[in-house]
């Protein structure tokens, strides 16, 4: 069954339960363009991108053409993009947002997120500036004050940025942010899967009214998750793929962003089903014997809960 579930955010707006993630989906040879079009045709109503993915223009083209071909209107879908770490200075936030909107060319953005609680030096013009020793070139002017970046995001035109949120925020950093925020983030996009279920972070976000979206819900490329015995057993019992089990488990906790450019996998990833309480618990228990974070850039500052 094509999943058309939605979640209500803390401001009353809604977010679709399943999105097409586009990280590492290339602009070349129409790869991401075709993936976005096939996603909209398959029933997806949420497309997720970011300035740092380098594919906003082609994602936008895929959205515009995909809407026409599917007979949909702009308001029928939800689009997320993100503020890059080199644009974290308050003076750069508005232009960065407008640049993303211009590349996407889709009237407005449903969710604009701070991609990381990290600011990198914007002076070099490079997406990930490095120092001579190979470490990340942190923005000394901002000095890690992501609260100020958030303050600038709060000032964005609400008719163009319908919701604002964060990504990769730990409990520690959310507590810092909420001390000064006048707008509570609508969403925290984080790595979530059975190897990294992040029970405490989910519970904390729930207590603050922050919705959690899961990136890498299938693990990463060549992840052993897709060969896990518990997941294999459940998949076999329902005649489903392990990816469908993972996504169906994921939407019991929040929204999920599986990524694929394969039209058949794009289509099957949104065909979710209901798991029993026993099966959900069995999947929850996987992390008791195996825990793993797949996405862990060395920013040079603490980011994840286990780093504080």
């Amino acid at each position: 069954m094509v999943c058309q579930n939605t979640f209500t955010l803390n401001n009353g707006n809604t977010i679709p339960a399943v999105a097409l993630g586009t990280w590492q989906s290339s602009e070349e040879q129409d790869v991401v363009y075709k993936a976005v079009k096939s996603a909209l045709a398959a029933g997806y109503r949420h497309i997720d991108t970011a300035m740092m993915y380098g594919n906003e223009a082609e994602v936008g083209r895929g959205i515009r053409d995909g809407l026409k071909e599917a007979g949909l209107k702009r308001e029928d879908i939800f689009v997320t993009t993100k503020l890059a770490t080199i644009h974290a200075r308050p003076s750069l936030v508005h232009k960065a947002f407008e640049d993303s909107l211009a590349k996407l060319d889709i009237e407005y953005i449903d969710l604009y997120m701070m991609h990381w609680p990290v600011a990198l030096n914007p002076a070099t013009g490079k997406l990930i500036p490095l120092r001579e020793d190979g470490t990340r070139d942190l923005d000394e002017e901002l000095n890690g004050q992501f609260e100020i970046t958030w303050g600038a995001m709060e000032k964005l035109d609400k008719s163009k940025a319908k919701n604002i949120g964060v990504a990769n925020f730990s409990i520690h950093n959310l507590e810092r942010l909420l001390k000064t925020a006048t707008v509570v983030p609508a969403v925290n996009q984080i790595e979530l899967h059975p190897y990294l279920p992040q029970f405490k972070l989910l519970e904390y976000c729930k207590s603050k009214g922050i919705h959690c979206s899961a990136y890498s819900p299938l693990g990463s490329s060549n992840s052993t998750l897709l060969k896990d015995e518990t997941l294999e057993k459940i998949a076999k019992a329902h005649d489903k793929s392990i990816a469908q089990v993972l996504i169906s488990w994921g939407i019991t906790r929040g929204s999920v962003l599986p990524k694929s450019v394969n039209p058949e996998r794009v289509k099957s990833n949104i065909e979710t089903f209901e798991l029993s309480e026993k099966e959900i618990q069995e999947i929850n228990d996987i992390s008791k014997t195996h825990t793993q974070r797949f996405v862990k850039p060395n920013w040079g500052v603490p980011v994840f809960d286990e780093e504080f």
Side-chain angles (χ1 to χ4, degrees):
M1 185 174 70
V2 172
C3 180
Q4 295 293 350
N5 298 5
T6 61
F7 293 92
T8 302
L9 303 176
N10 58 23
N11 55 15
N13 294 333
T14 57
I15 185 171
V18 181
L20 177 74
T22 63
W23 179 44
Q24 296 178 324
S25 298
S26 172
E27 280 202 322
E28 294 175 12
Q29 298 178 315
D30 288 346
V31 169
V32 76
Y33 167 75
K34 289 175 181 173
V36 169
K37 285 210 307 171
S38 64
L40 293 174
Y44 286 75
R45 295 298 176 259
H46 183 185
I47 307 294
D48 177 273
T49 184
M51 183 275 178
M52 293 179 81
Y53 300 168
N55 61 14
E56 286 174 314
E58 282 296 279
V59 167
R61 187 165 74 94
I63 289 169
R64 294 190 305 275
D65 289 355
L67 288 177
K68 281 180 200 164
E69 290 173 21
L72 297 168
K73 297 175 183 173
R74 170 64 184 90
E75 56 266 30
D76 294 330
I77 66 162
F78 191 102
V79 180
T80 296
T81 193
K82 309 175 191 79
L83 177 76
T85 51
I86 53 169
H87 296 144
R89 290 182 188 176
S91 59
L92 301 177
V93 169
H94 180 264
K95 184 179 185 302
F97 172 79
E98 291 292 344
D99 286 350
S100 284
L101 181 56
K103 282 180 189 170
L104 285 161
D105 191 16
I106 52 168
E107 299 176 39
Y108 59 87
I109 290 167
D110 295 276
L111 176 60
Y112 193 55
M113 315 189 90
M114 193 190 312
H115 204 152
W116 291 91
V118 177
L120 297 182
N121 182 3
T124 67
K126 293 181 179 174
L127 195 58
I128 306 286
L130 301 174
R131 298 192 183 106
E132 285 184 9
D133 63 2
T135 59
R136 307 286 165 115
D137 188 4
L138 296 170
D139 186 356
E140 292 180 5
E141 181 182 308
L142 200 58
N143 195 27
Q145 298 175 84
F146 52 71
E147 299 94 333
I148 303 174
T149 306
W150 183 252
M153 290 177 65
E154 290 177 332
K155 294 184 176 76
L156 291 170
D157 183 343
K158 291 176 178 58
S159 69
K160 292 182 178 180
K162 304 284 189 183
N163 307 277
I164 54 173
V166 295
N168 300 295
F169 265 62
S170 61
I171 294 172
H172 181 276
N173 283 339
L174 285 169
E175 286 182 333
R176 256 184 65 187
L177 185 70
L178 293 174
K179 283 176 184 173
T180 58
T182 57
V183 176
V184 174
V187 179
N188 185 18
Q189 189 181 120
I190 51 179
E191 182 179 344
L192 286 173
H193 45 72
Y195 286 172
L196 191 71
Q198 305 224 61
F199 297 113
K200 286 182 182 176
L201 181 52
L202 255 68
E203 195 57 41
Y204 177 84
C205 287
K206 186 179 178 183
S207 75
K208 302 297 179 184
I210 301 169
H211 173 80
C212 288
S213 283
Y215 71 75
S216 298
L218 311 180
S220 70
S221 304
N222 306 315
S223 163
T224 53
L225 256 180
L226 297 176
K227 297 171 186 169
D228 182 88
E229 287 182 10
T230 299
L231 298 173
E232 275 185 343
K233 181 190 75 175
I234 294 169
K236 194 172 180 183
H238 292 274
D239 194 25
K240 302 288 183 183
S241 69
I242 288 180
Q244 288 170 323
V245 173
L246 287 165
I247 294 162
S248 298
W249 173 78
I251 63 171
T252 67
R253 319 172 86 231
S255 53
V256 297
L257 300 92
K259 60 187 180 70
S260 180
V261 295
N262 178 301
E264 287 306 310
R265 280 202 291 273
V266 167
K267 189 171 181 290
S268 67
N269 282 347
I270 198 170
E271 291 172 358
T272 59
F273 65 99
E274 198 164 327
L275 292 158
S276 69
E277 289 297 323
K278 181 174 178 286
E279 289 167 333
I280 290 169
Q281 191 56 52
E282 286 175 348
I283 298 170
N284 288 347
D285 289 344
I286 289 172
S287 62
K288 289 180 178 178
T289 53
H290 187 125
T291 59
Q292 186 175 0
R293 186 185 289 280
F294 292 106
V295 181
K296 198 173 182 180
N298 183 11
W299 291 112
V301 291
V303 170
F304 304 114
D305 279 308
E306 63 268 25
E307 296 173 335
F308 289 95

mmCIF file of all heavy atoms in Angstrom, residues 62-79:
data_model
loop_
_atom_site.group_PDB
_atom_site.id
_atom_site.type_symbol
_atom_site.label_atom_id
_atom_site.label_comp_id
_atom_site.label_asym_id
_atom_site.label_seq_id
_atom_site.Cartn_x
_atom_site.Cartn_y
_atom_site.Cartn_z
ATOM 1 N N GLY A 62 13.055 18.368 -11.680
ATOM 2 C CA GLY A 62 12.309 17.117 -11.551
ATOM 3 C C GLY A 62 10.958 17.334 -10.890
ATOM 4 O O GLY A 62 9.946 16.728 -11.281
ATOM 5 N N ILE A 63 10.928 18.220 -9.885
ATOM 6 C CA ILE A 63 9.664 18.534 -9.201
ATOM 7 C C ILE A 63 8.691 19.213 -10.167
ATOM 8 O O ILE A 63 7.528 18.811 -10.290
ATOM 9 C CB ILE A 63 9.911 19.424 -7.967
ATOM 10 C CG1 ILE A 63 10.604 18.618 -6.856
ATOM 11 C CG2 ILE A 63 8.593 20.028 -7.451
ATOM 12 C CD1 ILE A 63 11.131 19.472 -5.704
ATOM 13 N N ARG A 64 9.167 20.235 -10.865
ATOM 14 C CA ARG A 64 8.278 20.990 -11.760
ATOM 15 C C ARG A 64 7.702 20.098 -12.858
ATOM 16 O O ARG A 64 6.490 20.102 -13.113
ATOM 17 C CB ARG A 64 9.028 22.190 -12.372
ATOM 18 C CG ARG A 64 9.421 23.246 -11.353
ATOM 19 C CD ARG A 64 9.929 24.526 -12.015
ATOM 20 N NE ARG A 64 11.036 24.308 -12.937
ATOM 21 C CZ ARG A 64 12.319 24.235 -12.592
ATOM 22 N NH1 ARG A 64 12.665 24.353 -11.320
ATOM 23 N NH2 ARG A 64 13.252 24.064 -13.509
ATOM 24 N N ASP A 65 8.579 19.307 -13.491
ATOM 25 C CA ASP A 65 8.093 18.427 -14.567
ATOM 26 C C ASP A 65 7.276 17.267 -14.008
ATOM 27 O O ASP A 65 6.282 16.842 -14.605
ATOM 28 C CB ASP A 65 9.280 17.899 -15.383
ATOM 29 C CG ASP A 65 9.920 18.990 -16.244
ATOM 30 O OD1 ASP A 65 9.383 20.115 -16.274
ATOM 31 O OD2 ASP A 65 10.970 18.714 -16.861
ATOM 32 N N GLY A 66 7.689 16.763 -12.851
ATOM 33 C CA GLY A 66 6.972 15.661 -12.214
ATOM 34 C C GLY A 66 5.557 16.054 -11.798
ATOM 35 O O GLY A 66 4.614 15.257 -11.927
ATOM 36 N N LEU A 67 5.406 17.279 -11.318
ATOM 37 C CA LEU A 67 4.071 17.768 -10.940
ATOM 38 C C LEU A 67 3.157 17.830 -12.165
ATOM 39 O O LEU A 67 2.005 17.392 -12.115
ATOM 40 C CB LEU A 67 4.173 19.154 -10.292
ATOM 41 C CG LEU A 67 4.770 19.231 -8.883
ATOM 42 C CD1 LEU A 67 4.860 20.680 -8.424
ATOM 43 C CD2 LEU A 67 3.963 18.420 -7.881
ATOM 44 N N LYS A 68 3.701 18.370 -13.247
ATOM 45 C CA LYS A 68 2.897 18.475 -14.480
ATOM 46 C C LYS A 68 2.463 17.086 -14.957
ATOM 47 O O LYS A 68 1.294 16.872 -15.289
ATOM 48 C CB LYS A 68 3.731 19.141 -15.591
ATOM 49 C CG LYS A 68 3.838 20.655 -15.492
ATOM 50 C CD LYS A 68 4.686 21.178 -16.640
ATOM 51 C CE LYS A 68 5.216 22.577 -16.309
ATOM 52 N NZ LYS A 68 6.331 22.962 -17.195
ATOM 53 N N GLU A 69 3.420 16.171 -14.996
ATOM 54 C CA GLU A 69 3.136 14.832 -15.527
ATOM 55 C C GLU A 69 2.171 14.040 -14.644
ATOM 56 O O GLU A 69 1.405 13.212 -15.129
ATOM 57 C CB GLU A 69 4.449 14.056 -15.709
ATOM 58 C CG GLU A 69 5.289 14.611 -16.850
ATOM 59 C CD GLU A 69 6.668 13.984 -16.948
ATOM 60 O OE1 GLU A 69 6.858 12.866 -16.411
ATOM 61 O OE2 GLU A 69 7.558 14.600 -17.554
ATOM 62 N N ALA A 70 2.202 14.324 -13.318
ATOM 63 C CA ALA A 70 1.322 13.601 -12.393
ATOM 64 C C ALA A 70 -0.003 14.338 -12.166
ATOM 65 O O ALA A 70 -0.861 13.859 -11.424
ATOM 66 C CB ALA A 70 2.037 13.389 -11.056
ATOM 67 N N GLY A 71 -0.148 15.506 -12.792
ATOM 68 C CA GLY A 71 -1.377 16.291 -12.622
ATOM 69 C C GLY A 71 -1.527 16.844 -11.221
ATOM 70 O O GLY A 71 -2.640 16.989 -10.706
ATOM 71 N N LEU A 72 -0.393 17.172 -10.602
ATOM 72 C CA LEU A 72 -0.405 17.685 -9.228
ATOM 73 C C LEU A 72 -0.108 19.181 -9.200
ATOM 74 O O LEU A 72 0.463 19.739 -10.138
ATOM 75 C CB LEU A 72 0.662 16.961 -8.386
ATOM 76 C CG LEU A 72 0.488 15.457 -8.190
ATOM 77 C CD1 LEU A 72 1.755 14.854 -7.604
ATOM 78 C CD2 LEU A 72 -0.702 15.179 -7.279
ATOM 79 N N LYS A 73 -0.473 19.822 -8.083
ATOM 80 C CA LYS A 73 -0.170 21.238 -7.874
ATOM 81 C C LYS A 73 0.974 21.356 -6.869
ATOM 82 O O LYS A 73 1.265 20.422 -6.127
ATOM 83 C CB LYS A 73 -1.406 21.962 -7.326
ATOM 84 C CG LYS A 73 -2.590 21.964 -8.269
ATOM 85 C CD LYS A 73 -3.783 22.595 -7.594
ATOM 86 C CE LYS A 73 -5.017 22.543 -8.506
ATOM 87 N NZ LYS A 73 -6.223 23.006 -7.800
ATOM 88 N N ARG A 74 1.592 22.525 -6.851
ATOM 89 C CA ARG A 74 2.711 22.756 -5.923
ATOM 90 C C ARG A 74 2.305 22.456 -4.482
ATOM 91 O O ARG A 74 3.070 21.856 -3.714
ATOM 92 C CB ARG A 74 3.211 24.217 -6.054
ATOM 93 C CG ARG A 74 4.207 24.669 -4.977
ATOM 94 C CD ARG A 74 5.501 23.884 -5.046
ATOM 95 N NE ARG A 74 6.426 24.231 -3.975
ATOM 96 C CZ ARG A 74 6.472 23.635 -2.794
ATOM 97 N NH1 ARG A 74 5.618 22.644 -2.513
ATOM 98 N NH2 ARG A 74 7.346 23.988 -1.876
ATOM 99 N N GLU A 75 1.094 22.848 -4.105
ATOM 100 C CA GLU A 75 0.659 22.669 -2.704
ATOM 101 C C GLU A 75 0.384 21.215 -2.342
ATOM 102 O O GLU A 75 0.151 20.890 -1.169
ATOM 103 C CB GLU A 75 -0.568 23.538 -2.396
ATOM 104 C CG GLU A 75 -1.758 23.312 -3.305
ATOM 105 C CD GLU A 75 -1.811 24.258 -4.494
ATOM 106 O OE1 GLU A 75 -0.744 24.705 -4.972
ATOM 107 O OE2 GLU A 75 -2.940 24.549 -4.946
ATOM 108 N N ASP A 76 0.403 20.333 -3.336
ATOM 109 C CA ASP A 76 0.189 18.904 -3.062
ATOM 110 C C ASP A 76 1.426 18.223 -2.493
ATOM 111 O O ASP A 76 1.342 17.080 -2.029
ATOM 112 C CB ASP A 76 -0.220 18.166 -4.348
ATOM 113 C CG ASP A 76 -1.579 18.607 -4.868
ATOM 114 O OD1 ASP A 76 -2.429 18.988 -4.034
ATOM 115 O OD2 ASP A 76 -1.779 18.579 -6.102
ATOM 116 N N ILE A 77 2.581 18.901 -2.587
ATOM 117 C CA ILE A 77 3.824 18.264 -2.136
ATOM 118 C C ILE A 77 4.559 19.113 -1.102
ATOM 119 O O ILE A 77 4.247 20.280 -0.895
ATOM 120 C CB ILE A 77 4.760 17.940 -3.324
ATOM 121 C CG1 ILE A 77 5.250 19.228 -3.992
ATOM 122 C CG2 ILE A 77 4.075 17.021 -4.321
ATOM 123 C CD1 ILE A 77 6.472 19.027 -4.862
ATOM 124 N N PHE A 78 5.547 18.487 -0.480
ATOM 125 C CA PHE A 78 6.342 19.090 0.597
ATOM 126 C C PHE A 78 7.807 18.977 0.181
ATOM 127 O O PHE A 78 8.273 17.896 -0.191
ATOM 128 C CB PHE A 78 6.085 18.287 1.879
ATOM 129 C CG PHE A 78 6.607 18.888 3.153
ATOM 130 C CD1 PHE A 78 5.753 19.541 4.036
ATOM 131 C CD2 PHE A 78 7.958 18.759 3.504
ATOM 132 C CE1 PHE A 78 6.227 20.057 5.236
ATOM 133 C CE2 PHE A 78 8.433 19.279 4.701
ATOM 134 C CZ PHE A 78 7.567 19.937 5.574
ATOM 135 N N VAL A 79 8.517 20.101 0.219
ATOM 136 C CA VAL A 79 9.916 20.103 -0.224
ATOM 137 C C VAL A 79 10.815 20.658 0.883
ATOM 138 O O VAL A 79 10.517 21.706 1.465
ATOM 139 C CB VAL A 79 10.099 20.927 -1.514
ATOM 140 C CG1 VAL A 79 11.564 20.925 -1.959
ATOM 141 C CG2 VAL A 79 9.206 20.388 -2.629
#
